[in-house]
Amino acid sequence: MVLETDIVAGRVERRRPSRAPLVGEFIRGAYHPKRTLPELLRGLMGSLAGQVAARRGQLRLSGLGTLAFESAAGAFNAGWIDGTNGHARNGRHHPSVATAASPAKPSNGSHGPGPSAPPTAFPLVYGNVALGELQLEWPAAQPGAVAWQTMCEEFAAHCARLAMRFETQRWAGQRLGRPLLLVGASEALLRIESFVEMAAFSTLPVLLTGEFGTEKALLAAAIHCCGPCAAAPFVEVPCASAGGQPAQWFEQAHGGTLFFNGIDELPPPLQQELLQHMHSRLGQRLSTPAAPELRVIASSTADLYSLAQQGGFSRALQAELDFLRARVPPLRERPEDIEALVTAAIERQGFDAGRLLTDDLLAQCRAHAWPENLFELERVIARLAVMSRGQPIRYADLLHHAPHLAADRRIAPRPSPSAPLPPPAPRPAEPPLAHWVRCAMTRNLPELARLHDGLRKALVYLGEHHADAISLDGLARQAHVSPSHLSFLFRTTLKTTFKSLLQHIRIERARQLMAEDPRRRITDIALTVGFVDLSHFEKCFRRIIGSSPRDYRHRGEPS
């Protein structure tokens, strides 16, 4: 059975999808990357209490302690009690309480008007492991309390996932020498965390796809760390420069996880040898290899299915890997995470984000497409933090040290309060269809990076395969989105349809062929660019160019 997750189409978290955005909204409001887990949970509890009108409650997390709170007349009092200073949970150690407010006093039932209903408990469960419990107490006969229970269940699930973020950070710091922490609270990121939770407790192979610079390696570590085999080996194979042999890799990762980082770059001979050591879940081989059983996780920036169809990757290996699949969203699809990511990047350089972060910097960062994603953001923010000498990063700093960031969408710095407001700049015209036709045919990745990831992949594919028989369903598979969503992207972004764009690309290629060889037969050109009917080709040519192919060849392009 294949469990596929499409982050754009939102098919990861199937439980009560209509309610999840509401929970996500106040999680994003309370989230801050500088906070420790106790601080973060305290802020989330304050948001929850305000949302569901709970009178009092507590959140207990194994290895961390209990967060107790009381809320009345708009006042929220909370604090950590019974801290265990990082006692073990199933061989793991949670971070100790870094900061804590004054402990909330146990309630004697007199806080707030009227009696309270018995507390309602919501378990904090990650996969199949109980991490703790959320208990909430409402006034007796509180209207709407039953409706809030679903929200509280989802809130408890989000708290469990946030706790495992910090567990991954601790594990990575000890095992990998790098305290990796997933940063952000966008809807796309919360969905990918749901996938990590489900995948962590399965032994099926996992395939993580996504653009260069996305958190594929971090998520691979999280899948291993958050599952039942966290103490087992975690072996990374950098496929672009893989050292050793598959037999050695499997032996080193015995009982744990073997992570192929960038498997699309693994040389073909090693791909075939790898198949000989993997236990086939599809029955491609009748014999069982002597290699030990383990979990396989692979990451790829390329679409392995398309690569295999074109002969650039082992089709048998692609089939064995493609069980649990998730696409890691690029930064341009997560604008809500930009501030948190920039803040975390500044802090990693040892600077105070509260001092360096400015509206100018955030505006330009949100406008930028980040074609290299987190790698580019880390590099640019580190440069700006150092070159600004720890002072607030203004628009002038961007002009000097990150001019490509300053030029994005020509966002000007905010005027001072005393300066008169300039007249609003005219909205730039949308690029014409001919622009995107040229970008698709020339594979202009910087320009295509401005588009939705699925639309970008579709245009790249059309530019390379326009002469083939292409259907909307087939193109949607190449773009990793649903056909209806891809059609929507064509209409709303490019103001055209898939068929119309394909015809424009084919006609543009026909014009190029006429220029390259003026004596080449029109019929031959039509067949070469993908038309099977000459009359259809001539009709499309006249509609797009304004003249017949023969007149165009004799007279040249109309002025």
Side-chain angles (χ1 to χ4, degrees):
M1 178 176 130
V2 175
L3 173 60
E4 180 176 351
T5 59
D6 189 328
I7 303 304
V8 174
R11 295 199 298 264
V12 175
E13 194 168 24
R14 297 181 176 87
R15 295 182 301 168
R16 311 176 189 90
S18 61
R19 296 184 182 269
L22 180 59
V23 176
E25 284 175 9
F26 65 83
I27 285 182
R28 283 190 287 277
Y31 176 80
H32 196 285
K34 293 171 63 177
R35 290 178 175 164
T36 63
L37 180 58
E39 291 175 317
L40 184 56
L41 292 177
R42 188 178 186 276
L44 290 174
M45 284 295 292
S47 295
L48 179 69
Q51 287 279 333
V52 302
R55 172 176 288 182
R56 60 180 63 89
Q58 62 180 27
L59 187 149
R60 178 180 57 80
L61 192 60
S62 177
L64 189 62
T66 300
L67 175 65
F69 80 88
E70 288 187 347
S71 178
F76 177 77
N77 180 37
W80 283 92
I81 57 178
D82 301 329
T84 59
N85 197 28
H87 286 181
R89 175 183 66 79
N90 294 337
R92 305 177 186 179
H93 299 269
H94 282 278
S96 60
V97 179
T99 58
S102 299
K105 297 179 181 180
S107 173
N108 58 10
S110 62
H111 184 80
S116 296
T120 304
F122 304 93
L124 268 68
V125 178
Y126 190 88
N128 55 14
V129 176
L131 303 184
E133 187 178 69
L134 169 68
Q135 287 190 0
L136 296 175
E137 191 176 307
W138 286 279
Q142 171 71 40
V146 174
W148 288 330
Q149 290 192 18
T150 299
M151 181 190 300
C152 294
E153 291 173 1
E154 294 172 345
F155 176 83
H158 282 299
C159 286
R161 291 170 193 153
L162 287 172
M164 294 309 293
R165 282 195 193 187
F166 286 84
E167 171 64 11
T168 300
Q169 182 189 43
R170 182 208 62 79
W171 176 90
Q174 291 185 354
R175 293 282 297 273
L176 308 178
R178 295 184 58 201
L180 304 172
L181 179 65
L182 195 63
V183 173
S186 65
E187 187 176 347
L189 203 61
L190 296 181
R191 285 174 176 162
I192 198 76
E193 278 192 293
S194 176
F195 170 82
V196 169
E197 178 185 0
M198 292 184 285
F201 290 86
S202 170
T203 59
L204 293 174
V206 176
L207 179 58
L208 299 170
T209 65
E211 296 178 10
F212 179 78
T214 51
E215 301 100 320
K216 298 186 291 293
L218 189 160
L219 294 172
I223 290 172
H224 172 84
C225 163
C226 296
C229 299
F234 178 84
V235 176
E236 177 187 10
V237 178
C239 296
S241 55
Q245 295 298 319
Q248 299 172 319
W249 306 335
F250 277 85
E251 188 62 36
Q252 293 169 1
H254 176 65
T257 297
L258 185 55
F259 171 44
F260 294 97
N261 195 343
I263 198 166
D264 50 317
E265 299 183 81
L266 191 67
L270 286 179
Q271 295 177 27
Q272 298 302 323
E273 192 172 347
L274 181 59
L275 274 171
Q276 298 173 15
H277 292 80
M278 286 183 65
H279 290 258
S280 175
R281 296 175 181 270
L282 302 175
Q284 295 193 66
R285 298 179 312 279
L286 297 179
S287 59
T288 302
E293 281 277 16
L294 45 75
R295 146 68 70 79
V296 172
I297 302 177
S299 69
S300 173
T301 56
D303 176 13
L304 289 190
Y305 180 83
S306 298
L307 207 58
Q309 293 293 103
Q310 299 165 13
F313 192 82
S314 167
R315 190 169 186 179
L317 180 56
Q318 177 267 326
E320 292 290 352
L321 294 173
D322 199 7
F323 275 82
L324 306 183
R325 184 199 320 157
R327 171 183 169 270
V328 184
L331 290 193
R332 63 182 173 277
E333 294 178 12
R334 298 160 45 191
E336 311 99 309
D337 291 337
I338 292 297
E339 182 174 358
L341 290 166
V342 171
T343 298
I346 292 174
E347 295 288 329
R348 277 193 291 271
Q349 300 304 317
F351 294 97
D352 179 11
R355 179 174 178 79
L356 272 67
L357 204 60
T358 64
D359 290 343
D360 292 342
L361 175 61
L362 285 178
Q364 301 302 140
C365 287
R366 290 190 177 110
H368 188 51
W370 300 108
E372 295 180 67
N373 295 290
L374 286 173
F375 293 171
E376 182 184 0
L377 184 142
E378 187 75 23
R379 193 171 62 238
V380 170
I381 299 303
R383 181 194 314 145
L384 289 169
V386 171
M387 299 308 294
S388 67
R389 295 184 174 88
Q391 299 301 309
I393 300 173
R394 304 295 185 189
Y395 188 77
D397 298 309
L398 301 179
L399 288 173
H400 283 292
H401 308 301
H404 71 292
L405 204 66
D408 270 2
R409 300 188 187 177
R410 296 177 174 85
I411 296 178
R414 294 182 301 113
S416 63
S418 59
L421 291 175
R427 185 174 181 178
E430 293 291 333
L433 181 60
H435 170 77
W436 297 116
V437 168
R438 289 191 295 271
C439 288
M441 297 183 67
T442 60
R443 199 182 173 90
N444 188 338
L445 294 182
E447 276 294 293
L448 293 173
R450 297 165 52 188
L451 302 175
H452 181 284
D453 188 52
L455 189 56
R456 175 184 61 80
K457 289 181 178 179
L459 262 64
V460 170
Y461 187 83
L462 288 176
E464 295 177 349
H465 301 275
H466 58 268
D468 299 340
I470 303 175
S471 66
L472 180 60
D473 288 348
L475 186 60
R477 286 195 297 271
Q478 300 294 334
H480 300 297
V481 295
S482 67
S484 60
H485 188 58
L486 183 60
S487 179
F488 169 80
L489 292 173
F490 271 104
R491 293 194 312 271
T492 57
T493 305
L494 304 185
K495 313 301 181 187
T496 189
T497 64
F498 142 69
K499 287 187 177 180
S500 178
L501 181 69
L502 177 58
Q503 288 176 357
H504 276 76
I505 292 176
R506 287 173 170 173
I507 295 302
E508 179 61 25
R509 181 54 184 152
R511 292 173 59 190
Q512 293 177 359
L513 293 176
M514 289 181 186
E516 292 169 4
D517 186 359
R519 297 185 178 182
R520 191 169 181 177
R521 297 173 62 243
I522 298 295
T523 303
D524 182 43
I525 291 175
L527 294 174
T528 300
V529 300
F531 286 92
V532 296
D533 181 80
L534 180 60
S535 63
H536 186 214
F537 168 70
E538 291 178 336
K539 181 179 178 180
C540 291
F541 198 99
R542 182 183 295 276
R543 176 173 53 82
I544 294 173
I545 303 302
S547 65
S548 70
R550 290 173 178 78
D551 290 343
Y552 175 83
R553 166 175 282 173
H554 292 313
R555 296 198 301 253
E557 182 178 359
S559 58

